[in-house]
DNA sequence: CCGTATCCCCCACGATACTG
DNA sequence: CAGTATCGTGGGGGATACGG
């Protein structure tokens, strides 16, 4: 009956780790890039899809819904024809900016390089 | 022959997203908390395990190996009895500090709260 | 103490097709 | 245009047992 019954995010029997908690919220497959693009302002569904490029409608919708139910992104439906739906960061989402920027900055200076080097130690033995 | 043949991390046909790249490196199930604890200095395997609490040896080893092959964590084996193995951040790992701290800070001020509120909108409809 | 080796399950993710 | 509906799959994650 208790609503907390099904909260199985960060495990119970451990002092909640804030780093883990954050990753739980922004760690989905497409959440990073979605938030990244939403930093510059609201975007329509189709704009997001086109910008990201290789994401299916299903996955984009799914990730957006999760971000929405986490309170990071808001969804606005305009009663028009053809339909228009816009997504933008909520207040809480805005507060993520320094985090996303930290991820972005480190990504540019380190992550991209490390991803390429990763496991390229097969000829190194010579 | 080309060593890049098997790099299937971030998809090819899209301008690499640095945010995504970073999340790819630190986004594993236990990587966040591991890095979090390693910020304070080197730790033995058993110390990490005890500190985290609810992680199996298999998973802890696995995640550490991934961090190692990404160049973020170094592994030092001491030829002793009983065996002692210590993990610590590499130079590249150290450069992650601002990122981890950003995740931590936001986690404390927002993520933990948001995780609890998430999906607690079942009675809201009344 | 610090790992592998097995076995297994679930679900995140994807491809595809259909609708208001 | 912006979604749902269905179905299929890989592999991330876990439990357990064994070994140097």
């Amino acid at each position: 009956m208790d609503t907390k019954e099904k909260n199985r995010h960060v495990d119970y029997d451990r002092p909640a780790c804030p780093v883990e908690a954050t990753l739980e919220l922004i760690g989905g497959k497409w959440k990073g890039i979605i938030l990244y693009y939403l930093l510059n302002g609201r975007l329509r569904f189709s704009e997001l899809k086109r910008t990201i490029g290789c994401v299916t409608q299903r996955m984009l919708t799914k990730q957006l819904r999760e971000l929405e139910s986490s309170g990071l992104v808001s969804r606005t439906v305009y009663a028009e024809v053809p339909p228009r739906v816009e997504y933008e960061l909520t207040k809480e989402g805005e507060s993520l900016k320094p985090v996303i920027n930290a991820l972005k900055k480190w990504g540019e200076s380190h992550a991209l390089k490390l991803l390429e080097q990763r496991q390229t130690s097969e000829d190194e033995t010579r």
Side-chain angles (χ1 to χ4, degrees), chain A:
Chain A
M1 308 307 147
D2 203 292
T3 59
K4 302 210 168 176
E5 211 69 353
K6 329 189 55 176
N7 285 351
R8 31 74 173 130
H9 41 271
V10 178
D11 305 283
Y12 307 97
D13 48 352
R14 177 162 39 87
C17 172
V19 175
E20 221 178 345
T22 302
L23 287 176
E24 171 109 1
L25 286 175
I26 69 174
K29 178 70 181 295
W30 303 99
K31 300 214 180 81
I33 202 173
I34 290 173
L35 293 169
Y36 176 64
Y37 285 127
L38 285 182
L39 282 190
N40 303 323
R42 49 169 46 197
L43 286 175
R44 312 183 42 155
F45 183 85
S46 54
E47 288 173 328
L48 265 175
K49 177 149 175 27
R50 196 167 348 102
T51 309
I52 296 179
C54 51
V55 63
T56 60
Q57 291 194 5
R58 174 183 139 78
M59 281 314 296
L60 184 53
T61 303
K62 203 154 169 291
Q63 301 283 300
L64 282 168
R65 288 290 186 286
E66 291 178 14
L67 288 172
E68 194 191 357
S69 86
S70 294
L72 296 175
V73 164
S74 70
R75 176 172 178 268
T76 310
V77 183
Y78 296 88
E80 304 175 353
V81 169
R84 177 164 57 106
V85 179
E86 290 187 347
Y87 293 90
E88 70 177 331
L89 296 180
T90 61
K91 191 96 177 178
E92 298 283 349
E94 295 280 348
S95 74
L96 258 178
K97 278 192 177 180
V99 176
I100 303 293
N101 281 325
L103 292 173
K104 179 187 174 217
K105 193 174 174 186
W106 191 83
E108 293 167 342
S109 58
H110 296 84
L112 295 174
K113 174 191 53 176
L114 289 176
L115 275 179
E116 285 183 15
Q117 295 176 345
R118 188 165 65 171
Q119 200 82 333
T120 312
S121 45
E122 286 151 35
D123 26 50
E124 223 96 328
T125 50
R126 170 130 324 269

